[in-house]
Amino acid sequence: MTRVLFFAYPMYADFEIAHTLFFLRKLGKACVVTATIDGETVESLGGIVTNPGLAIADANPNDYDLILISGGDGVSQVLEDNRIQNFLREANSIQKPIAAICASATLLGKAGLLKGNIFTCTPNTYEVFKDVFADAEYTGERLEVRDNLITAKGTAFPEFTLAVMDQLQLWRNDEQRESARLFCKGEV
């Protein structure tokens, strides 16, 4: 069974990863485990109260097939926390896929994972957090996939969902992938 660790923090953007979580669970039959910085409940931008299964320091990247991180207004509250930086570095060192949409690219930058790589996020995120993106190249594209890292603009829901499912090879066939793309774009 595919196992995904979703890292949630206060004011994460639940809507940015809704399609991704739906397809991971519905088609991929993935087990999604939620972690927060301290194992305490957080509330999303949409008001969803999220009860985690564990604290990020207690998570072992070897136990998961993918790390998923949403963007959100509260990213600055966890940006300087060594627990998430250490976890991301450890996951990256063993080439675990890490999918970060919108403002969560700042966490990858802060952990040093974007150094020498291209990446994307929402333009405002790039401008506000330019210092954490030193030695990385911002493309402004909707989606960037490099090795084990997926980054996307906050509005690139279809592309992000497809890239995550592609990375985990969870599609049965091309028709299923195309149906999901149309679904995410609201064209079904």
Side-chain angles (χ1 to χ4, degrees):
M1 172 183 277
T2 301
R3 290 180 47 87
V4 174
L5 180 84
F6 169 56
F7 175 64
Y9 53 88
M11 302 304 286
Y12 73 89
D14 46 62
F15 59 90
E16 290 179 348
I17 44 98
H19 287 127
T20 305
L21 288 170
F22 171 75
F23 282 106
L24 281 168
R25 299 217 357 131
K26 181 83 171 176
L27 298 181
K29 306 298 184 214
C31 170
V32 178
V33 176
T34 302
T36 59
I37 284 292
D38 52 11
E40 297 295 318
T41 300
V42 296
E43 186 173 339
S44 73
L45 277 170
I48 297 172
V49 176
T50 306
N51 292 316
L54 70 163
I56 198 68
D58 296 330
N60 180 345
N62 287 303
D63 295 341
Y64 303 96
D65 300 296
L66 178 110
I67 313 307
L68 177 65
I69 316 170
S70 180
D73 292 353
V75 74
S76 59
Q77 294 179 45
V78 296
L79 185 61
E80 300 297 328
D81 199 298
N82 287 329
R83 293 171 287 189
I84 186 59
Q85 292 172 35
N86 292 338
F87 177 83
L88 291 172
R89 285 185 199 112
E90 185 178 350
N92 190 59
S93 74
I94 57 174
Q95 294 296 298
K96 283 294 171 185
I98 302 171
I101 189 168
C102 198
S104 64
T106 59
L107 298 173
L108 303 184
K110 187 67 177 179
L113 307 188
L114 298 177
K115 194 176 221 176
N117 282 320
I118 62 172
F119 77 99
T120 195
C121 60
T122 305
N124 185 57
T125 297
Y126 176 70
E127 291 301 322
V128 171
F129 294 98
K130 249 185 191 172
D131 58 317
V132 302
F133 299 125
D135 301 320
E137 182 182 339
Y138 175 70
T139 67
E141 296 294 325
R142 291 182 58 77
L143 177 80
E144 291 294 349
V145 179
R146 290 296 175 262
D147 301 319
N148 63 310
L149 300 178
I150 300 168
T151 56
K153 284 187 172 180
T155 55
F157 317 124
E159 296 93 331
F160 186 72
T161 298
L162 297 179
V164 167
M165 297 289 285
D166 289 348
Q167 180 77 34
L168 295 172
Q169 300 177 1
L170 293 176
W171 303 117
R172 282 192 313 260
N173 52 46
D174 290 340
E175 291 79 22
Q176 187 183 53
R177 185 182 191 277
E178 178 60 13
S179 292
R181 185 185 72 78
L182 294 172
F183 177 90
C184 291
K185 291 181 73 179
E187 295 178 4
V188 292

